[in-house]
Amino acid sequence: VRALVSRPPTGGAELIDVPPPDLGPGQVRVRVLEVGICGTDLDIVAGRYGRPPDGASYLILGHENLGVVEEGADPNGPLRPGTLVVATVRRGCGTCAFCAAGRSDFCASGNYTERGIWRANGYLAEEYVESATELVPVPAALRACAVLTEPTSVVEKAIEQGQLVWDRVAYPPGAGPRRSRALVAGAGAVGLLASLLLRLRGWDVTTIDRHGSTTLAAQLLGEAGARHVDVEAGLDALGDDRFDLVVEASGSAGLDSELLDRIATNGVLVLTGIPDASGGTPKALGAQWRRLVLANQAVVGSVNANRTHFAAAVADLGRLAGRWPGLLERLVGERRPWDDGPAVFGHRPEGTIKTALVVRGA
Ligand SMILES: [Zn+2]
Ligand SMILES: [Zn+2]
């Protein structure tokens, strides 16, 4: 079968023929429809990240997947030939307590694998096989936006983590103060999806990036009732505003430090972007740590997602599609045939929020 592969640590992207995967017990064969591209893929192709399966010379790219069940499904279960499915990405290490408890997204050994990223082949191939337990069914009505399921699952976990921190206040249900103000830093796919999910849940959302108000991202935010603020000239553009929940989706260590100043009393900052470990990160000042203590604030990192977050993502994509019809489709701004993959990795058009490579059309 054809597959789009890279060769970490060298990188690159090329279409090659690979042996078709064998179908094992409990597994399902899936025909790939399309795969979204994100910064992680660009890092792999650029030779900055990724690792092939042990002993292999290449890594099949792609983790933001959407496919259709072909064979091997349980005829009485939810997965039947023709069912749309999204596969999860991370596979547990098999040894740590978190993976044993089904929380590979919290793996403590670091010996996990991630399909399309780390020691496991991804989904940019004509077909793949996977355990039925790692596949999440998707309603046919979500065909046009379901390629967003994986990035949405990452957002579901991040917001859940923020909510769990808020729940530590533990006042009686319904009796507590309303937590209403959210700040989302970054208006790429993850930042936009976070903004939309928070709007869906009734939060008052402010989303910042370094672009003006004429971009597609700013337009989509406006339609969903979020406030867009251009912080090209600095976070002073936010005035004195502080926020109960801050979701960071930009991967800038310098910005992370500044966001500490934007957390409200008892609030939480959830970091999802992965900053460059090198470079001049400003150290948080004593005053920032002091306020963190005196105002009961929390900073939480959140990475990856579990199967439950994928299922929540599918449900919320359905709600978003109902609330703002057509908006998610515009977020997937560009679809390209996967033969163009090598060129797409080399040059992302300005203003495109999410590019999907189409392996097989409708
Ligand atoms: Zn991704
Ligand atoms: Zn583990």
Side-chain angles (χ1 to χ4, degrees), residues 90-100 103-104 106-112:
R90 187 178 284 192
R91 303 290 169 265
C93 68
T95 55
C96 85
F98 297 93
C99 289
R103 293 309 304 261
S104 64
F106 281 107
C107 178
S109 75
N111 293 325
Y112 56 78

Side-chain angles (χ1 to χ4, degrees), residues 1-7 13-19 57-60 124-126 338:
V1 298
R2 303 286 281 164
L4 189 58
V5 308
S6 186
R7 298 181 189 277
E14 56 185 309
L15 267 171
I16 64 171
D17 285 309
V18 301
S57 64
Y58 61 83
L59 169 74
I60 299 178
L124 267 168
E126 287 172 296
W338 71 322

Side-chain angles (χ1 to χ4, degrees), residues 36-41 63-64 117 150-151 154 190 354:
I37 299 304
C38 76
T40 301
D41 303 297
H63 58 277
E64 300 185 2
I117 302 171
E150 194 276 342
V154 169
V190 169
K354 175 62 69 183

Side-chain angles (χ1 to χ4, degrees), residues 251-259 275 280-282:
S252 159
L255 179 62
D256 292 353
S257 307
E258 288 192 76
L259 291 175
T281 304

Side-chain angles (χ1 to χ4, degrees), residues 287-303:
Q288 289 179 308
W289 295 122
R290 179 187 165 91
R291 193 174 52 247
L292 202 77
V293 175
L294 294 178
N296 285 299
Q297 295 167 337
V299 181
V300 181
S302 179
V303 70

Side-chain angles (χ1 to χ4, degrees), residues 304-329:
N304 195 253
N306 213 318
R307 193 185 194 286
T308 54
H309 304 118
F310 277 78
V314 171
D316 274 337
L317 287 175
R319 293 186 189 103
L320 290 171
R323 176 90 176 264
W324 296 291
L327 196 145
L328 291 171
E329 284 83 341

